[in-house]
Amino acid sequence: MTIRILTGITTTGTPHLGNYAGAIRPAIVASRDADVDSFYFLADYHALIKCDDPARIQRSRLEIAATWLACGLDTDKATFYRQSDIPEIPELTWLLTCVAAKGLLNRAHAYKASVDKNVENGEDPDAGVTMGLYSYPVLMAADILMFNAHKVPVGRDQIQHVEMARDIGQRFNHLFGAGRELFTLPEAVIEEEVATLPGLDGRKMSKSYDNTIPLFGSAKQLKDAIARIVTDSRAPGEPKDPDSSHLYTLYQAFSTPAQLAAFRAELLDGLAWGEAKQRLFQLLDNELGEARERYHALIERPADLEDILLAGAAKARKTATPFLNELREAVGLRSFRSNVQSADTGKKKAAKSARFVSFREDDGSFRFRLLAADGEQLLLSRTFADGKSSGLVTKRLQDGSVLDIRAEGTSYGLWLDGEVVGQGGEFADSEARDAAVQRLREALAPQE
């Protein structure tokens, strides 16, 4: 079974070495697994909640996109896109907002922390709280549920948001699923083994502590940053304690076992801290040098980055667009042509009847689906130039004429006037295909 993993990257800063070791590198490695379908996106809508500096957000989007690509993300394997390039996301956010309980959002950690701080300072509890901050968990739920992610790697501070996405998705399924699981309920993945790197002062590497090591600065900037790492006062020749040295911890995150063993032995033998820092610089420069060159080449060609991200968005929308149409259908935002009508009474068929769902593709063409009562897709049409042409075909399929259904390997096609107008999905074998053909015939059979 293929597992879908989804990760969002907030676009409010420049990636540093800690981001690379703790998130970027392991995510890219995971995306190469043949059994994993990876979705990575720039969470630029989320950035608007935290940052009101347009130049910073724009620059951060550019730098983060270039970083992931320079570090080896294969966009043929993974789906890499900007959140703001998927218009289905804000629409789904509204659908989910309409089922999300206010009490649930009241318990969100970020909102509660803001309220507590205001109360502590004697201010109005909601002073400075925007609806963006308050409803942030719903937007995150839309990011996850839109693509039916199975697993969402997060830090411990984000576990609650994944749990809230589960709650909201479950509520939506209950209200509108009609017995189906429209949304896959996601699982938060806490990656205990992912490195948390110390910064220059030994605390966790973080922009808020101003103790970071640049990821793709020049070699000189990298060397200068490493030179500022705080060490103890032991002189050259005195044995150093690797286990209490955050310089050693940094080396450990990027070295092979053999390199680490040799470095440890040198520290115990009295290697000078200056020499140790030179060893770390050389290790990091070897690891990052080629990626640094790719990064700067990408930064200088923003139009190429734009093309890559738009291609990723188009790829993502092949999933998002039809799924949102299905969700719109589920909540009642349906085309007036979507109900199968009885020819002689004009009344809706019984609940067991199938229904047609029309939708429009990105290029302006029209298609329709034939869905069974349980939501199973029985037929997906070819594209039509306009809605009228699509509607005429659905009308003909309901007029009781003999159906021309032809097996095509483990799938089937439905033909009209010498051309295929729709196809079924791929089935495990011919027996499953034939059973689906029978369901299709029953769905389109005239009602008594």
Side-chain angles (χ1 to χ4, degrees), residues 205-274:
M205 191 176 296
S206 170
K207 290 184 288 290
S208 61
Y209 295 147
D210 193 26
N211 68 349
T212 62
I213 295 175
L215 182 59
F216 289 137
S218 66
K220 183 180 185 303
Q221 289 173 318
L222 176 62
K223 192 169 187 175
D224 289 346
I226 292 172
R228 296 197 303 274
I229 294 175
V230 176
T231 56
D232 62 33
S233 58
R234 298 181 192 185
E238 287 187 75
K240 314 296 189 296
D241 179 10
D243 297 326
S244 65
S245 167
H246 46 278
L247 189 150
Y248 177 80
T249 303
L250 285 165
Y251 193 95
Q252 185 177 28
F254 297 95
S255 61
T256 66
Q259 288 173 324
L260 185 64
F263 187 58
R264 182 182 185 88
E266 286 187 288
L267 288 173
L268 292 171
D269 285 343
L271 181 69
W273 285 124

Side-chain angles (χ1 to χ4, degrees), residues 244-382:
S244 65
S245 167
H246 46 278
L247 189 150
Y248 177 80
T249 303
L250 285 165
Y251 193 95
Q252 185 177 28
F254 297 95
S255 61
T256 66
Q259 288 173 324
L260 185 64
F263 187 58
R264 182 182 185 88
E266 286 187 288
L267 288 173
L268 292 171
D269 285 343
L271 181 69
W273 285 124
E275 286 296 322
K277 291 177 179 180
Q278 177 61 28
R279 299 276 201 285
L280 177 60
F281 165 73
Q282 199 60 57
L283 180 73
L284 293 178
D285 197 48
N286 288 341
E287 165 108 3
L288 302 173
E290 291 184 8
R292 182 194 301 134
E293 292 181 8
R294 291 194 294 269
Y295 171 83
H296 288 292
L298 286 165
I299 287 291
E300 292 170 3
R301 300 196 308 272
D304 290 353
L305 280 172
E306 183 73 11
D307 290 343
I308 291 169
L309 288 167
L310 289 178
K315 183 178 176 182
R317 293 192 69 199
K318 287 181 180 179
T319 298
T321 303
F323 186 44
L324 184 64
N325 285 328
E326 185 178 350
L327 298 175
R328 289 171 61 90
E329 169 81 10
V331 301
L333 304 179
R334 303 168 183 165
S335 164
F336 293 147
R337 292 194 296 266
S338 66
N339 293 323
V340 179
Q341 301 292 322
S342 172
D344 50 356
T345 68
K347 297 180 180 179
K348 291 183 181 179
K349 291 185 179 180
K352 65 179 181 180
S353 298
R355 64 186 186 277
F356 286 95
V357 179
S358 300
F359 61 97
R360 193 169 188 171
E361 293 282 16
D362 294 341
D363 61 4
S365 62
F366 288 79
R367 302 180 83 173
F368 64 81
R369 288 186 173 80
L370 176 60
L371 302 178
D374 63 358
E376 177 192 9
Q377 181 174 291
L378 301 175
L379 192 72
L380 175 64
S381 79
R382 65 172 176 83

Side-chain angles (χ1 to χ4, degrees), residues 378-401:
L378 301 175
L379 192 72
L380 175 64
S381 79
R382 65 172 176 83
T383 58
F384 297 88
D386 51 65
K388 182 178 179 180
S389 300
S390 173
L392 288 174
V393 171
T394 62
K395 186 175 181 179
R396 287 188 59 187
L397 294 178
Q398 300 169 60
D399 65 9
S401 301

Side-chain angles (χ1 to χ4, degrees), residues 5-9 23-33 36-43 68 73-75 77-83 147 153 191 309 312-313 316:
I5 296 177
L6 181 139
T7 297
I9 311 109
I24 300 171
R25 183 173 62 175
I28 291 174
V29 170
S31 73
R32 295 168 184 156
D33 189 326
V36 169
D37 183 16
S38 299
F39 279 61
Y40 298 125
F41 67 95
L42 306 183
W68 280 72
L73 181 66
D74 183 352
T75 54
K77 170 67 176 170
T79 303
F80 187 51
Y81 57 97
R82 282 177 300 219
Q83 183 186 36
F147 298 105
E191 299 181 319
L309 288 167

